[in-house]
Amino acid sequence: MKNIIDLVTPFDFDGSIEYDGLKTLLDHLLNNNVDGIGVLGEVSEKDSMSVDEKKELIEFIVGYVGERTDIFINISGNINEIIFLDSLIKNKSFKGYILKITEGSDVGVLKYISYLSCKLNKEIIIDDFIKMSYDVIKSLSYNKNIVGYILRNDELEHMIDISSISKDEFNIYLSNDYLILVGINLGVKGIISVIGNCYPNFVRDVSGNIEYKKDFYMKFAKLITHIYTGSKVESIKYLLKINNLIGDKTRLPYGVCDKVLKRKIEEDYLNL
């Protein structure tokens, strides 16, 4: 199963991006041979960043990682906003974009994505927050620039239908570490992983033989549940902190884990 990490952004005590900590985290991921890194994703705290900060962050990561793994930049918003961001980084070498879809009819979404796929001219993974129809996703799978689709809906029937679209040129990705065993059994080929920031080999290890992967997964199940409880940003940063990778400083509106959740994460960590 392909493992793309939804990358956390470390911050210093003054709230600035902490690039030494980011180097440590990137080295940790690269040394464990992750398949890809998603920049400005769900746990990146991108909404707190200015355009200049986003540009600087992308440039740093692309320059530091180079060709050692695939890099995908998360994008969303109207066409003009996306094209403007693309214009700032178009000369940088990265694999492609993760395009977040939050509204629109079937016809409108198809037009929107088709236009951007031509305009951006890079690989695109669709991040679906509106539960697109099977027919729309099937149609997108034939676009040479659309290389994947992220399942945000965890209804089993929907997962079964969409996973059947997967093929060599079009991967279906899970969006939740907790569903990895279900995904493996459905033939899903990838995951956008949060816990992979700390345990990048988790996906690879769970993909082993059936009895081993069940036992291995159960060791992580409680920890994953607690990471996805409340704010994933606060939880994953605290887990990274107790693993001595980065600090747990966040930007508003986020804070730090409450004491009860911290204790649960610490217990889960010690039981691995």
Side-chain angles (χ1 to χ4, degrees):
M1 181 176 277
K2 192 171 184 178
N3 183 18
I4 297 178
I5 307 301
D6 185 1
L7 187 68
V8 167
T9 308
F11 294 111
D12 215 332
F13 290 108
D14 63 1
S16 60
I17 296 174
E18 212 266 282
Y19 284 100
D20 285 340
L22 183 55
K23 282 183 182 179
T24 299
L25 182 55
L26 289 171
D27 285 340
H28 172 63
L29 300 177
L30 294 168
N31 290 339
N32 284 281
N33 301 311
V34 296
D35 298 305
I37 293 171
V39 183
L40 300 178
E42 274 204 295
V43 293
S44 68
E45 301 176 73
K46 65 181 177 182
D47 291 339
S48 72
M49 299 180 198
S50 67
V51 172
D52 286 342
E53 282 183 307
K54 291 176 182 177
K55 179 176 179 288
E56 183 180 272
L57 180 66
I58 292 169
E59 289 176 341
F60 176 84
I61 293 172
V62 170
Y64 190 75
V65 172
E67 297 182 355
R68 289 183 285 174
T69 194
D70 292 341
I71 297 173
F72 288 90
I73 312 298
N74 284 263
I75 52 175
S76 61
N78 65 49
I79 287 175
N80 290 335
E81 291 172 342
I82 290 172
I83 291 175
F84 175 68
L85 178 61
D86 179 65
S87 71
L88 296 178
I89 58 177
K90 65 181 178 181
N91 295 322
K92 305 301 175 185
S93 178
F94 58 95
K95 190 72 170 177
Y97 291 105
I98 296 175
L99 175 60
K100 183 178 180 180
I101 304 296
T102 59
E103 60 182 353
S105 64
D106 281 359
V107 173
V109 164
L110 269 175
K111 288 182 177 179
Y112 173 75
I113 295 173
S114 297
Y115 175 80
L116 282 175
S117 71
C118 294
K119 193 72 176 177
L120 300 175
N121 198 30
K122 280 189 179 290
E123 292 187 2
I124 295 175
I125 297 172
I126 303 300
D127 196 359
D128 179 14
F129 281 77
I130 62 171
K131 193 180 176 182
M132 297 176 195
S133 69
Y134 175 90
D135 289 338
V136 168
I137 300 165
K138 182 75 172 177
S139 178
L140 290 170
S141 73
Y142 294 111
N143 185 320
K144 66 181 179 64
N145 288 335
I146 309 296
V147 298
Y149 169 87
I150 301 173
L151 269 167
R152 287 284 172 185
N153 189 290
D154 59 3
E155 295 174 7
L156 185 58
E157 184 176 354
H158 181 68
M159 292 179 70
I160 292 171
D161 286 344
I162 302 308
S163 62
S164 68
I165 300 174
S166 182
K167 54 187 179 181
D168 288 344
E169 305 83 14
F170 187 81
N171 289 325
I172 304 299
Y173 293 87
L174 298 171
S175 63
N176 189 326
D177 291 293
Y178 197 81
L179 295 173
I180 189 167
L181 282 188
V182 175
I184 288 171
N185 287 313
L186 290 177
V188 173
K189 294 184 178 179
I191 186 168
I192 310 298
S193 177
V194 172
I195 200 166
N197 280 279
C198 198
Y199 302 110
N201 286 323
F202 167 72
V203 172
R204 190 174 297 113
D205 289 340
V206 171
S207 301
N209 70 70
I210 187 68
E211 291 306 319
Y212 172 75
K213 67 187 179 187
K214 284 180 180 177
D215 291 341
F216 185 84
Y217 172 80
M218 292 311 296
K219 292 180 181 179
F220 277 86
K222 285 180 65 177
L223 176 60
I224 293 171
T225 301
H226 292 141
I227 293 299
Y228 280 76
T229 298
S231 165
K232 287 183 287 188
V233 171
E234 296 167 5
S235 302
I236 189 61
K237 279 196 165 180
Y238 185 65
L239 181 62
L240 286 162
K241 179 181 179 179
I242 62 179
N243 276 272
N244 297 312
L245 287 167
I246 63 169
D248 61 350
K249 173 69 178 176
T250 61
R251 286 181 174 178
L252 292 174
Y254 300 106
V256 294
C257 279
D258 63 64
K259 292 181 180 179
V260 174
L261 186 54
K262 279 184 176 181
R263 186 163 60 249
K264 290 178 179 177
I265 291 172
E266 288 167 3
E267 291 173 355
D268 298 336
Y269 164 72
L270 293 172
N271 288 329
L272 290 179

